[in-house]
Amino acid sequence: MVQTELVYRQTHGLTPFSYTVVNNVWLYFFDEHMPALFRYNMETEICECIAVFDKNCMKSNFYKMFAWGDDLWILPLFKDKIVCFNVQTQDVTYYEISERIEEENMPFVDMYFFEKKGYIIPHGKNRYLLEIDLTSHKIELLEADKKIKQVFFEGAVEINNKIYLEDSLNNTFVVYDNNFTRVINVKGYPLRNKFPKRVENKIYLFPIHISGDEEVLIYDIDTNEFTKKDYPIKELPHGEVCITETLGKEIWILANKKKRIYRLDSSLEIISDISIVNFNKNEKIVYISGRTFANCSFWNGNAGTPLIQIKDGTVQLLDIKKDILEIYIEIVKKLKTGKREMEKNDIGKLIYNNTIS
């Protein structure tokens, strides 16, 4: 039976803001209001606090999290510190970000792993890719496209151990393959307001903000050819924000103001669409980002917004229900200095937000 609707309910529990999936079962995440790391079992639906990070070391919260072996690599929302947390030993290591990295707002947006190295992807005017030796944790800065004075990286995809960085300012892809040796010029197809997603050996560039007759740009890395297609969803409200995730050969698009989720094939033909009931009543942008893992994808938003999960062709809310008092007790137990340290965290804001309604 084809799913036709999803009933939306705003949660009063924890809402993952940055997260990752381990072994297709465990969801490790941070709630938006505190530097406490939680672990949620998606089969048993049991959630627990496993660590609280030093607020003195982190001025802001975290943006994205990535798993490799027993390590979680955690990227900051602003230019702060990169964190590595070992889930077995619970050791926390903080890494300073080089002064050469100029971008203050989301200096990094992604991370890839291959050949026992990790690669942290630059964003905005940050022109440095970070290469990490995953054994020694030594970090090296690799400068992308030294010939160009200014860059603006929107995002990246990894295909066959090659990283394709989208530079919308210069309308190019900068390719990293052991070193930066190749720049792909995209002529006649503006990359601004386009975000890259991978479908097999092709890069699909989807618009985020829809203001008219938008197009999808597709780059085939095998033939080195660009093609464009009309945006598949029609009659969208002006200023619509569409968040796109690809899972296998399928493309999933959440349209916030339209209050629908669309399932497409790789030819951009709509397979089905799902109405989100009781959703976005004031037409505010609710979902702002997404992540794809081995067997599932998610959309996430701001505080109070539950994750929407795509798995096995079905869409559902992932509402992490956990008693707020229980959260408070778990965090206090993790803190060594008690109440004084607690005041540095935003747990009070979380409790207030979840008890006033």
Side-chain angles (χ1 to χ4, degrees), residues 145-186:
D145 204 356
K146 297 179 182 180
K147 298 178 182 178
I148 302 296
K149 291 183 178 180
Q150 292 182 314
V151 298
F152 195 94
F153 290 118
E154 298 277 2
V157 296
E158 180 270 324
I159 303 176
N160 301 329
N161 291 355
K162 294 181 180 180
I163 299 171
Y164 295 77
L165 298 122
E166 176 200 347
D167 178 3
S168 63
L169 183 63
N170 297 291
N171 228 61
T172 61
F173 280 104
V174 182
V175 185
Y176 180 80
D177 180 13
N178 293 322
N179 52 51
F180 290 107
T181 57
R182 186 181 176 201
V183 174
I184 302 170
N185 290 303
V186 185

mmCIF file of all heavy atoms in Angstrom, residues 145-186:
data_model
loop_
_atom_site.group_PDB
_atom_site.id
_atom_site.type_symbol
_atom_site.label_atom_id
_atom_site.label_comp_id
_atom_site.label_asym_id
_atom_site.label_seq_id
_atom_site.Cartn_x
_atom_site.Cartn_y
_atom_site.Cartn_z
ATOM 1 N N ASP A 145 42.299 24.966 -4.652
ATOM 2 C CA ASP A 145 42.349 25.933 -5.753
ATOM 3 C C ASP A 145 43.100 27.213 -5.367
ATOM 4 O O ASP A 145 42.530 28.294 -5.241
ATOM 5 C CB ASP A 145 40.925 26.276 -6.214
ATOM 6 C CG ASP A 145 40.914 26.772 -7.670
ATOM 7 O OD1 ASP A 145 41.998 26.901 -8.248
ATOM 8 O OD2 ASP A 145 39.814 27.007 -8.195
ATOM 9 N N LYS A 146 44.417 27.089 -5.202
ATOM 10 C CA LYS A 146 45.251 28.204 -4.748
ATOM 11 C C LYS A 146 45.258 29.380 -5.725
ATOM 12 O O LYS A 146 45.548 30.512 -5.337
ATOM 13 C CB LYS A 146 46.680 27.715 -4.529
ATOM 14 C CG LYS A 146 46.814 26.660 -3.434
ATOM 15 C CD LYS A 146 48.247 26.198 -3.295
ATOM 16 C CE LYS A 146 48.386 25.110 -2.233
ATOM 17 N NZ LYS A 146 49.774 24.642 -2.082
ATOM 18 N N LYS A 147 44.944 29.121 -6.999
ATOM 19 C CA LYS A 147 44.997 30.185 -8.006
ATOM 20 C C LYS A 147 43.852 31.189 -7.851
ATOM 21 O O LYS A 147 43.948 32.324 -8.310
ATOM 22 C CB LYS A 147 44.957 29.570 -9.410
ATOM 23 C CG LYS A 147 46.150 28.667 -9.718
ATOM 24 C CD LYS A 147 46.016 28.055 -11.108
ATOM 25 C CE LYS A 147 47.177 27.106 -11.408
ATOM 26 N NZ LYS A 147 47.031 26.476 -12.748
ATOM 27 N N ILE A 148 42.768 30.761 -7.222
ATOM 28 C CA ILE A 148 41.595 31.621 -7.065
ATOM 29 C C ILE A 148 41.664 32.332 -5.715
ATOM 30 O O ILE A 148 41.879 31.714 -4.682
ATOM 31 C CB ILE A 148 40.295 30.788 -7.161
ATOM 32 C CG1 ILE A 148 40.229 30.062 -8.508
ATOM 33 C CG2 ILE A 148 39.084 31.676 -6.975
ATOM 34 C CD1 ILE A 148 40.154 30.964 -9.701
ATOM 35 N N LYS A 149 41.480 33.661 -5.729
ATOM 36 C CA LYS A 149 41.600 34.437 -4.499
ATOM 37 C C LYS A 149 40.413 34.245 -3.568
ATOM 38 O O LYS A 149 40.563 34.239 -2.351
ATOM 39 C CB LYS A 149 41.760 35.924 -4.836
ATOM 40 C CG LYS A 149 43.090 36.259 -5.493
ATOM 41 C CD LYS A 149 43.223 37.753 -5.727
ATOM 42 C CE LYS A 149 44.572 38.097 -6.341
ATOM 43 N NZ LYS A 149 44.709 39.564 -6.563
ATOM 44 N N GLN A 150 39.211 34.120 -4.130
ATOM 45 C CA GLN A 150 38.016 33.982 -3.310
ATOM 46 C C GLN A 150 37.221 32.758 -3.740
ATOM 47 O O GLN A 150 37.137 32.441 -4.936
ATOM 48 C CB GLN A 150 37.133 35.225 -3.426
ATOM 49 C CG GLN A 150 37.749 36.472 -2.789
ATOM 50 C CD GLN A 150 36.811 37.665 -2.888
ATOM 51 O OE1 GLN A 150 36.238 37.938 -3.932
ATOM 52 N NE2 GLN A 150 36.663 38.388 -1.787
ATOM 53 N N VAL A 151 36.638 32.079 -2.758
ATOM 54 C CA VAL A 151 35.795 30.910 -3.028
ATOM 55 C C VAL A 151 34.545 30.999 -2.159
ATOM 56 O O VAL A 151 34.500 31.738 -1.186
ATOM 57 C CB VAL A 151 36.527 29.579 -2.715
ATOM 58 C CG1 VAL A 151 37.752 29.399 -3.594
ATOM 59 C CG2 VAL A 151 36.911 29.508 -1.233
ATOM 60 N N PHE A 152 33.525 30.226 -2.536
ATOM 61 C CA PHE A 152 32.389 30.015 -1.653
ATOM 62 C C PHE A 152 31.882 28.603 -1.907
ATOM 63 O O PHE A 152 31.225 28.326 -2.910
ATOM 64 C CB PHE A 152 31.266 31.022 -1.866
ATOM 65 C CG PHE A 152 30.289 31.016 -0.717
ATOM 66 C CD1 PHE A 152 30.441 31.910 0.329
ATOM 67 C CD2 PHE A 152 29.257 30.086 -0.652
ATOM 68 C CE1 PHE A 152 29.571 31.890 1.412
ATOM 69 C CE2 PHE A 152 28.390 30.063 0.424
ATOM 70 C CZ PHE A 152 28.544 30.966 1.457
ATOM 71 N N PHE A 153 32.224 27.709 -0.984
ATOM 72 C CA PHE A 153 31.841 26.311 -1.127
ATOM 73 C C PHE A 153 30.457 26.087 -0.534
ATOM 74 O O PHE A 153 30.214 26.358 0.643
ATOM 75 C CB PHE A 153 32.869 25.398 -0.450
ATOM 76 C CG PHE A 153 34.194 25.340 -1.163
ATOM 77 C CD1 PHE A 153 35.349 25.762 -0.533
ATOM 78 C CD2 PHE A 153 34.276 24.872 -2.462
ATOM 79 C CE1 PHE A 153 36.573 25.718 -1.185
ATOM 80 C CE2 PHE A 153 35.490 24.829 -3.137
ATOM 81 C CZ PHE A 153 36.644 25.243 -2.500
ATOM 82 N N GLU A 154 29.537 25.594 -1.383
ATOM 83 C CA GLU A 154 28.172 25.312 -0.944
ATOM 84 C C GLU A 154 28.069 23.940 -0.288
ATOM 85 O O GLU A 154 27.364 23.758 0.696
ATOM 86 C CB GLU A 154 27.210 25.370 -2.141
ATOM 87 C CG GLU A 154 27.135 26.721 -2.815
ATOM 88 C CD GLU A 154 26.184 27.673 -2.116
ATOM 89 O OE1 GLU A 154 25.611 27.295 -1.084
ATOM 90 O OE2 GLU A 154 26.023 28.801 -2.622
ATOM 91 N N GLY A 155 28.740 22.950 -0.863
ATOM 92 C CA GLY A 155 28.663 21.585 -0.371
ATOM 93 C C GLY A 155 29.565 20.691 -1.200
ATOM 94 O O GLY A 155 30.347 21.170 -2.032
ATOM 95 N N ALA A 156 29.479 19.382 -0.984
ATOM 96 C CA ALA A 156 30.347 18.446 -1.682
ATOM 97 C C ALA A 156 29.708 17.070 -1.713
ATOM 98 O O ALA A 156 28.814 16.759 -0.922
ATOM 99 C CB ALA A 156 31.714 18.383 -0.999
ATOM 100 N N VAL A 157 30.172 16.256 -2.632
ATOM 101 C CA VAL A 157 29.823 14.830 -2.652
ATOM 102 C C VAL A 157 31.102 14.028 -2.845
ATOM 103 O O VAL A 157 32.100 14.540 -3.373
ATOM 104 C CB VAL A 157 28.815 14.478 -3.774
ATOM 105 C CG1 VAL A 157 27.486 15.164 -3.555
ATOM 106 C CG2 VAL A 157 29.377 14.829 -5.142
ATOM 107 N N GLU A 158 31.057 12.774 -2.396
ATOM 108 C CA GLU A 158 32.195 11.868 -2.575
ATOM 109 C C GLU A 158 31.765 10.716 -3.474
ATOM 110 O O GLU A 158 30.744 10.068 -3.227
ATOM 111 C CB GLU A 158 32.663 11.336 -1.206
ATOM 112 C CG GLU A 158 33.845 10.384 -1.280
ATOM 113 C CD GLU A 158 33.425 8.940 -1.429
ATOM 114 O OE1 GLU A 158 32.401 8.530 -0.840
ATOM 115 O OE2 GLU A 158 34.113 8.187 -2.166
ATOM 116 N N ILE A 159 32.518 10.485 -4.540
ATOM 117 C CA ILE A 159 32.238 9.382 -5.468
ATOM 118 C C ILE A 159 33.553 8.694 -5.795
ATOM 119 O O ILE A 159 34.500 9.329 -6.271
ATOM 120 C CB ILE A 159 31.570 9.881 -6.770
ATOM 121 C CG1 ILE A 159 30.270 10.639 -6.461
ATOM 122 C CG2 ILE A 159 31.280 8.715 -7.717
ATOM 123 C CD1 ILE A 159 29.602 11.248 -7.685
ATOM 124 N N ASN A 160 33.630 7.396 -5.514
ATOM 125 C CA ASN A 160 34.819 6.596 -5.817
ATOM 126 C C ASN A 160 36.093 7.209 -5.233
ATOM 127 O O ASN A 160 37.120 7.328 -5.907
ATOM 128 C CB ASN A 160 34.968 6.408 -7.336
ATOM 129 C CG ASN A 160 33.775 5.714 -7.957
ATOM 130 O OD1 ASN A 160 33.123 4.898 -7.312
ATOM 131 N ND2 ASN A 160 33.463 6.051 -9.197
ATOM 132 N N ASN A 161 36.020 7.598 -3.962
ATOM 133 C CA ASN A 161 37.165 8.177 -3.244
ATOM 134 C C ASN A 161 37.659 9.483 -3.835
ATOM 135 O O ASN A 161 38.821 9.866 -3.648
ATOM 136 C CB ASN A 161 38.324 7.180 -3.139
ATOM 137 C CG ASN A 161 37.992 6.013 -2.220
ATOM 138 O OD1 ASN A 161 36.945 5.983 -1.591
ATOM 139 N ND2 ASN A 161 38.888 5.057 -2.146
ATOM 140 N N LYS A 162 36.785 10.185 -4.522
ATOM 141 C CA LYS A 162 37.080 11.526 -5.013
ATOM 142 C C LYS A 162 36.035 12.476 -4.433
ATOM 143 O O LYS A 162 34.850 12.147 -4.387
ATOM 144 C CB LYS A 162 37.044 11.597 -6.544
ATOM 145 C CG LYS A 162 38.131 10.776 -7.219
ATOM 146 C CD LYS A 162 38.039 10.917 -8.737
ATOM 147 C CE LYS A 162 39.120 10.096 -9.431
ATOM 148 N NZ LYS A 162 39.047 10.222 -10.915
ATOM 149 N N ILE A 163 36.496 13.620 -3.981
ATOM 150 C CA ILE A 163 35.599 14.602 -3.374
ATOM 151 C C ILE A 163 35.388 15.753 -4.352
ATOM 152 O O ILE A 163 36.348 16.370 -4.817
ATOM 153 C CB ILE A 163 36.181 15.128 -2.049
ATOM 154 C CG1 ILE A 163 36.355 13.974 -1.050
ATOM 155 C CG2 ILE A 163 35.275 16.201 -1.460
ATOM 156 C CD1 ILE A 163 37.107 14.354 0.206
ATOM 157 N N TYR A 164 34.132 16.024 -4.676
ATOM 158 C CA TYR A 164 33.761 17.091 -5.601
ATOM 159 C C TYR A 164 33.178 18.244 -4.782
ATOM 160 O O TYR A 164 32.072 18.145 -4.251
ATOM 161 C CB TYR A 164 32.735 16.598 -6.615
ATOM 162 C CG TYR A 164 33.254 15.529 -7.555
ATOM 163 C CD1 TYR A 164 33.395 14.209 -7.136
ATOM 164 C CD2 TYR A 164 33.614 15.841 -8.862
ATOM 165 C CE1 TYR A 164 33.873 13.224 -7.996
ATOM 166 C CE2 TYR A 164 34.094 14.861 -9.738
ATOM 167 C CZ TYR A 164 34.219 13.564 -9.290
ATOM 168 O OH TYR A 164 34.695 12.579 -10.140
ATOM 169 N N LEU A 165 33.958 19.336 -4.677
ATOM 170 C CA LEU A 165 33.528 20.503 -3.922
ATOM 171 C C LEU A 165 32.886 21.515 -4.856
ATOM 172 O O LEU A 165 33.485 21.926 -5.859
ATOM 173 C CB LEU A 165 34.710 21.144 -3.197
ATOM 174 C CG LEU A 165 35.416 20.286 -2.149
ATOM 175 C CD1 LEU A 165 36.886 20.133 -2.507
ATOM 176 C CD2 LEU A 165 35.288 20.916 -0.798
ATOM 177 N N GLU A 166 31.689 21.942 -4.516
ATOM 178 C CA GLU A 166 30.972 22.903 -5.351
ATOM 179 C C GLU A 166 31.303 24.324 -4.912
ATOM 180 O O GLU A 166 30.981 24.734 -3.804
ATOM 181 C CB GLU A 166 29.461 22.666 -5.243
ATOM 182 C CG GLU A 166 28.648 23.686 -6.012
ATOM 183 C CD GLU A 166 27.212 23.769 -5.533
ATOM 184 O OE1 GLU A 166 26.770 22.876 -4.782
ATOM 185 O OE2 GLU A 166 26.536 24.758 -5.883
ATOM 186 N N ASP A 167 31.956 25.067 -5.784
ATOM 187 C CA ASP A 167 32.299 26.469 -5.542
ATOM 188 C C ASP A 167 31.336 27.330 -6.358
ATOM 189 O O ASP A 167 31.527 27.524 -7.564
ATOM 190 C CB ASP A 167 33.753 26.727 -5.948
ATOM 191 C CG ASP A 167 34.176 28.181 -5.779
ATOM 192 O OD1 ASP A 167 33.358 28.987 -5.294
ATOM 193 O OD2 ASP A 167 35.316 28.511 -6.138
ATOM 194 N N SER A 168 30.295 27.866 -5.698
ATOM 195 C CA SER A 168 29.277 28.613 -6.428
ATOM 196 C C SER A 168 29.756 30.001 -6.832
ATOM 197 O O SER A 168 29.233 30.586 -7.781
ATOM 198 C CB SER A 168 28.003 28.734 -5.575
ATOM 199 O OG SER A 168 28.259 29.461 -4.389
ATOM 200 N N LEU A 169 30.757 30.542 -6.140
ATOM 201 C CA LEU A 169 31.269 31.867 -6.488
ATOM 202 C C LEU A 169 31.967 31.844 -7.841
ATOM 203 O O LEU A 169 31.788 32.754 -8.663
ATOM 204 C CB LEU A 169 32.227 32.361 -5.405
ATOM 205 C CG LEU A 169 32.799 33.766 -5.588
ATOM 206 C CD1 LEU A 169 31.689 34.807 -5.551
ATOM 207 C CD2 LEU A 169 33.841 34.068 -4.516
ATOM 208 N N ASN A 170 32.752 30.808 -8.094
ATOM 209 C CA ASN A 170 33.492 30.694 -9.356
ATOM 210 C C ASN A 170 32.843 29.734 -10.340
ATOM 211 O O ASN A 170 33.388 29.478 -11.413
ATOM 212 C CB ASN A 170 34.924 30.241 -9.057
ATOM 213 C CG ASN A 170 35.678 31.247 -8.213
ATOM 214 O OD1 ASN A 170 35.999 32.338 -8.672
ATOM 215 N ND2 ASN A 170 35.946 30.897 -6.958
ATOM 216 N N ASN A 171 31.659 29.208 -9.964
ATOM 217 C CA ASN A 171 30.902 28.309 -10.822
ATOM 218 C C ASN A 171 31.744 27.116 -11.287
ATOM 219 O O ASN A 171 31.811 26.791 -12.472
ATOM 220 C CB ASN A 171 30.334 29.054 -12.030
ATOM 221 C CG ASN A 171 28.861 28.729 -12.232
ATOM 222 O OD1 ASN A 171 28.048 28.999 -11.352
ATOM 223 N ND2 ASN A 171 28.529 28.122 -13.351
ATOM 224 N N THR A 172 32.374 26.458 -10.324
ATOM 225 C CA THR A 172 33.244 25.320 -10.626
ATOM 226 C C THR A 172 33.043 24.201 -9.608
ATOM 227 O O THR A 172 32.490 24.405 -8.526
ATOM 228 C CB THR A 172 34.730 25.720 -10.595
ATOM 229 O OG1 THR A 172 35.062 26.181 -9.277
ATOM 230 C CG2 THR A 172 35.037 26.799 -11.620
ATOM 231 N N PHE A 173 33.522 23.009 -9.996
ATOM 232 C CA PHE A 173 33.756 21.933 -9.047
ATOM 233 C C PHE A 173 35.262 21.792 -8.884
ATOM 234 O O PHE A 173 36.001 21.722 -9.870
ATOM 235 C CB PHE A 173 33.187 20.604 -9.557
ATOM 236 C CG PHE A 173 31.714 20.449 -9.349
ATOM 237 C CD1 PHE A 173 30.828 20.599 -10.403
ATOM 238 C CD2 PHE A 173 31.197 20.155 -8.092
ATOM 239 C CE1 PHE A 173 29.483 20.464 -10.220
ATOM 240 C CE2 PHE A 173 29.839 20.021 -7.904
ATOM 241 C CZ PHE A 173 28.971 20.171 -8.963
ATOM 242 N N VAL A 174 35.710 21.768 -7.638
ATOM 243 C CA VAL A 174 37.114 21.512 -7.337
ATOM 244 C C VAL A 174 37.203 20.071 -6.861
ATOM 245 O O VAL A 174 36.517 19.684 -5.913
ATOM 246 C CB VAL A 174 37.647 22.478 -6.261
ATOM 247 C CG1 VAL A 174 39.128 22.223 -6.013
ATOM 248 C CG2 VAL A 174 37.426 23.921 -6.685
ATOM 249 N N VAL A 175 38.030 19.276 -7.522
ATOM 250 C CA VAL A 175 38.082 17.836 -7.250
ATOM 251 C C VAL A 175 39.326 17.498 -6.445
ATOM 252 O O VAL A 175 40.442 17.879 -6.813
ATOM 253 C CB VAL A 175 38.069 17.028 -8.573
ATOM 254 C CG1 VAL A 175 37.993 15.526 -8.268
ATOM 255 C CG2 VAL A 175 36.895 17.449 -9.448
ATOM 256 N N TYR A 176 39.115 16.770 -5.342
ATOM 257 C CA TYR A 176 40.240 16.299 -4.533
ATOM 258 C C TYR A 176 40.387 14.793 -4.713
ATOM 259 O O TYR A 176 39.465 14.017 -4.467
ATOM 260 C CB TYR A 176 40.044 16.620 -3.053
ATOM 261 C CG TYR A 176 41.204 16.132 -2.217
ATOM 262 C CD1 TYR A 176 42.382 16.866 -2.155
ATOM 263 C CD2 TYR A 176 41.148 14.918 -1.537
ATOM 264 C CE1 TYR A 176 43.473 16.413 -1.412
ATOM 265 C CE2 TYR A 176 42.222 14.464 -0.800
ATOM 266 C CZ TYR A 176 43.386 15.211 -0.748
ATOM 267 O OH TYR A 176 44.464 14.760 -0.025
ATOM 268 N N ASP A 177 41.571 14.381 -5.162
ATOM 269 C CA ASP A 177 41.907 12.967 -5.338
ATOM 270 C C ASP A 177 43.381 12.816 -4.968
ATOM 271 O O ASP A 177 44.265 12.894 -5.831
ATOM 272 C CB ASP A 177 41.652 12.533 -6.780
ATOM 273 C CG ASP A 177 41.996 11.067 -7.022
ATOM 274 O OD1 ASP A 177 42.192 10.341 -6.031
ATOM 275 O OD2 ASP A 177 42.085 10.676 -8.202
ATOM 276 N N ASN A 178 43.665 12.647 -3.669
ATOM 277 C CA ASN A 178 45.025 12.669 -3.096
ATOM 278 C C ASN A 178 45.606 14.078 -3.079
ATOM 279 O O ASN A 178 46.388 14.426 -2.212
ATOM 280 C CB ASN A 178 45.974 11.718 -3.824
ATOM 281 C CG ASN A 178 45.569 10.267 -3.613
ATOM 282 O OD1 ASN A 178 45.138 9.895 -2.523
ATOM 283 N ND2 ASN A 178 45.691 9.458 -4.646
ATOM 284 N N ASN A 179 45.252 14.901 -4.043
ATOM 285 C CA ASN A 179 45.595 16.319 -4.015
ATOM 286 C C ASN A 179 44.608 17.054 -4.927
ATOM 287 O O ASN A 179 43.831 16.429 -5.643
ATOM 288 C CB ASN A 179 47.049 16.579 -4.457
ATOM 289 C CG ASN A 179 47.348 15.926 -5.798
ATOM 290 O OD1 ASN A 179 46.619 16.103 -6.765
ATOM 291 N ND2 ASN A 179 48.425 15.157 -5.859
ATOM 292 N N PHE A 180 44.647 18.374 -4.873
ATOM 293 C CA PHE A 180 43.764 19.162 -5.733
ATOM 294 C C PHE A 180 44.432 19.344 -7.094
ATOM 295 O O PHE A 180 45.321 20.154 -7.256
ATOM 296 C CB PHE A 180 43.483 20.532 -5.095
ATOM 297 C CG PHE A 180 42.612 20.454 -3.881
ATOM 298 C CD1 PHE A 180 43.139 20.651 -2.623
ATOM 299 C CD2 PHE A 180 41.253 20.190 -4.000
ATOM 300 C CE1 PHE A 180 42.338 20.591 -1.489
ATOM 301 C CE2 PHE A 180 40.438 20.127 -2.872
ATOM 302 C CZ PHE A 180 40.985 20.317 -1.627
ATOM 303 N N THR A 181 43.982 18.573 -8.058
ATOM 304 C CA THR A 181 44.621 18.623 -9.367
ATOM 305 C C THR A 181 43.643 18.970 -10.486
ATOM 306 O O THR A 181 44.049 19.139 -11.626
ATOM 307 C CB THR A 181 45.266 17.270 -9.707
ATOM 308 O OG1 THR A 181 44.265 16.242 -9.657
ATOM 309 C CG2 THR A 181 46.376 16.936 -8.720
ATOM 310 N N ARG A 182 42.376 19.106 -10.172
ATOM 311 C CA ARG A 182 41.402 19.266 -11.245
ATOM 312 C C ARG A 182 40.316 20.263 -10.845
ATOM 313 O O ARG A 182 39.819 20.244 -9.727
ATOM 314 C CB ARG A 182 40.759 17.908 -11.554
ATOM 315 C CG ARG A 182 39.829 17.900 -12.748
ATOM 316 C CD ARG A 182 39.243 16.512 -12.934
ATOM 317 N NE ARG A 182 38.272 16.470 -14.006
ATOM 318 C CZ ARG A 182 37.331 15.541 -14.136
ATOM 319 N NH1 ARG A 182 37.261 14.565 -13.258
ATOM 320 N NH2 ARG A 182 36.474 15.573 -15.132
ATOM 321 N N VAL A 183 39.985 21.134 -11.784
ATOM 322 C CA VAL A 183 38.874 22.068 -11.617
ATOM 323 C C VAL A 183 37.939 21.899 -12.811
ATOM 324 O O VAL A 183 38.372 21.929 -13.962
ATOM 325 C CB VAL A 183 39.371 23.524 -11.526
ATOM 326 C CG1 VAL A 183 38.184 24.483 -11.499
ATOM 327 C CG2 VAL A 183 40.234 23.724 -10.292
ATOM 328 N N ILE A 184 36.662 21.685 -12.527
ATOM 329 C CA ILE A 184 35.667 21.505 -13.583
ATOM 330 C C ILE A 184 34.868 22.792 -13.710
ATOM 331 O O ILE A 184 34.164 23.201 -12.779
ATOM 332 C CB ILE A 184 34.728 20.324 -13.270
ATOM 333 C CG1 ILE A 184 35.530 19.034 -13.095
ATOM 334 C CG2 ILE A 184 33.674 20.164 -14.362
ATOM 335 C CD1 ILE A 184 34.706 17.881 -12.543
ATOM 336 N N ASN A 185 34.966 23.454 -14.847
ATOM 337 C CA ASN A 185 34.207 24.677 -15.086
ATOM 338 C C ASN A 185 32.792 24.336 -15.538
ATOM 339 O O ASN A 185 32.591 23.493 -16.413
ATOM 340 C CB ASN A 185 34.895 25.528 -16.158
ATOM 341 C CG ASN A 185 36.193 26.121 -15.646
ATOM 342 O OD1 ASN A 185 36.213 26.816 -14.651
ATOM 343 N ND2 ASN A 185 37.290 25.828 -16.323
ATOM 344 N N VAL A 186 31.828 24.977 -14.916
ATOM 345 C CA VAL A 186 30.423 24.747 -15.252
ATOM 346 C C VAL A 186 29.927 25.971 -16.001
ATOM 347 O O VAL A 186 29.602 26.997 -15.404
ATOM 348 C CB VAL A 186 29.583 24.505 -13.986
ATOM 349 C CG1 VAL A 186 28.151 24.145 -14.367
ATOM 350 C CG2 VAL A 186 30.211 23.404 -13.128
#
